[in-house]
Amino acid sequence: MKADLVIKNARVVRHDGEFHGGVAVKDGKIVLTGADEVLPDATRTIDAEGKVLMPGLIDPHCHLGVKFPYPEDMRTETAAAASGGVTTALLYIRNLKESYLPFYEERKALGEENSVIDFGFHFGIQREEHIAEIPEIVAKTGVKSFKCYFGYEPDNPIGIVPATDGWVYAAMRILSKIPGGVINVHCENTQIASWIKKEIAATGRQDLGAYTESRPAFCEVETIRRMIFLAEKTGCSLHLVHTSVGMGPVLAAEAQARGVHVTVETCPHYLTRTCYDEDLDMRAKISPPLRDRNELEGLWAGMLNGSVYSLGTDHVPFLPKKLEDLWTEFPGVVSFPWELSLMLHFGVHQRGLPLSRLVELNSFNPARRFGLWPRKGHIDVGFDADLVLVDLDEERTVEHTGKGTCIYEGWKLKGWPVMTIARGDVVYENGVVADSHYGRGRCVTVPS
């Protein structure tokens, strides 16, 4: 057998351990893994020179096509993702019309015309009709994960329709009967936050800390408790997205011990930034907000002890922020190109996070959670050849030239992706994504 691609002389890291050697790829799939001497000849052979070879990142949390045209975002942002080692991105996407079915067909087609990497969808519940439609959506699109949004007042600047407990309960009852069905919840107590916001906004404060103090950590903790309670009542699988509070992983671990299927995602910004960092202003407004150092340390405890389940960037390329008013500013930052480097620098190098644990957080767990296993998230025979080659020692300064707001610019990070392979194609090398790769990505949420 002659392979299409062989990568050898690598430190191959998986969620369950590591070995020295490499992989052989044919027709976009891994056909052999092992020591260098067992690997076959190939059309292209890459000497990894001892660098780390990991499964490509599955970023299960991004928002594309919100403020820029969707086809454009699927080009620019999936290229940015590929530069960061991301080989599959799952979009949280909202549709205000009655049915998701035409919307899915349109977004799938436009995505496949433009995307560099594979992609899929979670659907936001934005009206009651969406709840009744869940079984049909699952059957006709393969999408099995649905999101409810708390923490947004009805007049929020992004146009999100906030959920009610009734919506969540009704959706949970349906999803609990669907194999692989999951409800994703943005946890913040909307009513308490809007009450405190009026008080703080009235003082005239415009600093980033004022935004955080207007929706304190206990608002998130309260809603996490409430959602776990409802998940326990209904038997529904619950995923807590973009968790910003240290109590999140603690409460989830307690519930898991009682048999509740609940998992916690956090994001690189909650692990590396606080709302009181002196160089940040309203540009760093994110929903939920950046917290203080105590919450950051609580999340790292969960990263290290296993109670944080997965990482997502919550990458959202908004138009340049206006910097006029903290309270009406759009929330959101971009992180695709730097998530892996941030975790290598602050996690692996500074805190001793094992590389195999990082693979679990970034690839293995998201693949299992969102129906991509046993196709993605692992380096083994039969899996898609989604891989990232990492130089643990490379030091580089964060530069942001794309859309959206970057809150890491000028940071010197140690550990960078140097090559990304998506379904056997080398889509990122020598610092660039070639034009020929646009439109090669495929939708992974499809009817089974």
Side-chain angles (χ1 to χ4, degrees), residues 267-388:
C267 308
H269 37 270
Y270 301 124
L271 294 161
T272 58
R273 281 299 211 171
T274 80
C275 61
Y276 301 113
D277 289 357
E278 289 181 4
D279 62 319
L280 295 181
D281 57 18
M282 68 177 76
R283 271 176 292 226
K285 179 179 175 180
I286 304 169
S287 181
L290 295 175
R291 302 284 180 194
D292 62 22
R293 180 66 50 181
N294 284 342
E295 303 299 341
L296 180 150
E297 293 297 337
L299 290 170
W300 272 112
M303 288 278 288
L304 292 161
N305 70 21
S307 56
V308 169
Y309 182 81
S310 58
L311 288 164
T313 58
D314 199 2
H315 177 100
V316 53
F318 277 147
L319 301 161
K321 300 204 179 187
K322 294 177 181 172
L323 297 181
E324 292 168 2
D325 174 49
L326 173 73
W327 306 103
T328 56
E329 186 66 87
F330 289 136
V333 296
V334 289
S335 305
F336 272 159
W338 312 292
E339 189 264 17
L340 182 52
S341 294
L342 289 163
M343 292 304 100
L344 292 168
H345 183 95
F346 290 100
V348 175
H349 288 305
Q350 288 195 1
R351 294 173 186 262
L353 184 76
L355 282 169
S356 56
R357 171 79 177 122
L358 188 56
V359 169
E360 193 177 54
L361 288 155
N362 267 335
S363 308
F364 177 67
N365 283 350
R368 289 190 304 159
R369 193 64 168 119
F370 296 113
L372 304 178
W373 187 268
R375 182 178 157 194
K376 294 186 179 292
H378 192 35
I379 297 178
D380 207 358
V381 174
F383 280 76
D384 285 357
D386 292 342
L387 305 160
V388 57

Side-chain angles (χ1 to χ4, degrees), residues 40-365:
D41 290 337
T43 305
R44 181 178 181 187
T45 298
I46 295 165
D47 182 350
E49 299 174 340
K51 295 184 182 75
V52 169
L53 186 69
M54 305 162 78
L57 277 63
I58 297 169
D59 189 337
H61 193 150
C62 64
H63 305 270
L64 305 182
V66 182
K67 290 293 175 187
F68 290 97
Y70 172 74
E72 182 191 310
D73 267 0
M74 289 302 283
R75 289 178 73 81
T76 60
E77 305 313 288
T78 63
S83 76
V86 178
T87 51
T88 307
L90 300 180
L91 286 63
Y92 281 100
I93 203 155
R94 292 177 292 117
N95 168 34
L96 295 174
K97 294 177 180 167
E98 281 186 32
S99 174
Y100 263 103
L101 299 175
F103 180 81
Y104 165 82
E105 293 298 339
E106 176 213 36
R107 293 292 163 120
K108 175 178 181 283
L110 288 171
E112 291 188 338
E113 283 171 23
N114 292 283
S115 184
V116 173
I117 59 173
D118 288 354
F119 63 94
F121 303 112
H122 318 275
F123 288 151
I125 292 172
Q126 294 290 275
R127 51 194 292 169
E128 287 190 12
E129 292 92 336
H130 295 161
I131 300 168
E133 192 187 32
I134 286 172
E136 191 181 4
I137 293 173
V138 171
K140 293 185 176 173
T141 72
V143 173
K144 293 183 176 181
S145 55
F146 297 81
K147 184 176 181 184
C148 283
Y149 298 80
F150 291 101
Y152 290 96
E153 293 142 284
D155 61 347
N156 67 83
I158 321 175
I160 287 173
V161 180
T164 66
D165 286 3
W167 281 16
V168 172
Y169 178 68
M172 281 182 170
R173 283 195 311 187
I174 295 169
L175 286 165
S176 67
K177 297 178 177 66
I178 293 171
V182 57
I183 190 139
N184 304 262
V185 183
H186 173 143
C187 291
E188 285 185 285
N189 187 302
T190 317
Q191 283 78 19
I192 295 176
S194 63
W195 192 266
I196 303 174
K197 173 185 160 185
K198 284 182 197 138
E199 296 175 346
I200 294 187
T203 68
R205 281 178 64 183
Q206 290 285 318
D207 59 294
L208 187 62
Y211 173 65
T212 296
E213 289 160 36
S214 78
R215 40 205 326 112
F218 78 81
C219 284
E220 190 170 332
V221 172
E222 185 279 334
T223 306
I224 288 171
R225 288 184 189 274
R226 207 166 78 240
M227 294 304 110
I228 288 173
F229 177 81
L230 292 173
E232 196 162 6
K233 286 288 175 206
T234 56
C236 184
S237 185
L238 169 66
H239 188 57
L240 302 170
V241 295
H242 53 45
T243 304
S244 71
V245 294
M247 272 302 285
V250 175
L251 292 169
E254 288 174 357
Q256 286 162 3
R258 299 195 304 272
V260 184
H261 193 205
V262 53
T263 50
V264 170
E265 166 195 274
T266 193
C267 308
H269 37 270
Y270 301 124
L271 294 161
T272 58
R273 281 299 211 171
T274 80
C275 61
Y276 301 113
D277 289 357
E278 289 181 4
D279 62 319
L280 295 181
D281 57 18
M282 68 177 76
R283 271 176 292 226
K285 179 179 175 180
I286 304 169
S287 181
L290 295 175
R291 302 284 180 194
D292 62 22
R293 180 66 50 181
N294 284 342
E295 303 299 341
L296 180 150
E297 293 297 337
L299 290 170
W300 272 112
M303 288 278 288
L304 292 161
N305 70 21
S307 56
V308 169
Y309 182 81
S310 58
L311 288 164
T313 58
D314 199 2
H315 177 100
V316 53
F318 277 147
L319 301 161
K321 300 204 179 187
K322 294 177 181 172
L323 297 181
E324 292 168 2
D325 174 49
L326 173 73
W327 306 103
T328 56
E329 186 66 87
F330 289 136
V333 296
V334 289
S335 305
F336 272 159
W338 312 292
E339 189 264 17
L340 182 52
S341 294
L342 289 163
M343 292 304 100
L344 292 168
H345 183 95
F346 290 100
V348 175
H349 288 305
Q350 288 195 1
R351 294 173 186 262
L353 184 76
L355 282 169
S356 56
R357 171 79 177 122
L358 188 56
V359 169
E360 193 177 54
L361 288 155
N362 267 335
S363 308
F364 177 67
N365 283 350

Side-chain angles (χ1 to χ4, degrees), residues 392-441:
L392 284 182
D393 298 316
E394 181 174 338
E395 294 190 75
R396 203 189 303 167
T397 301
V398 172
E399 294 176 20
H400 178 48
T401 54
K403 299 170 175 170
T405 302
C406 168
I407 56 173
Y408 314 109
E409 199 144 19
W411 281 14
K412 193 175 185 182
L413 301 177
K414 184 177 181 181
W416 286 84
V418 292
M419 181 181 285
T420 304
I421 296 108
R423 272 189 293 106
D425 294 335
V426 179
V427 293
Y428 169 77
E429 64 178 323
N430 302 320
V432 295
V433 174
D435 289 347
S436 59
H437 297 308
Y438 292 100
R440 61 163 299 286

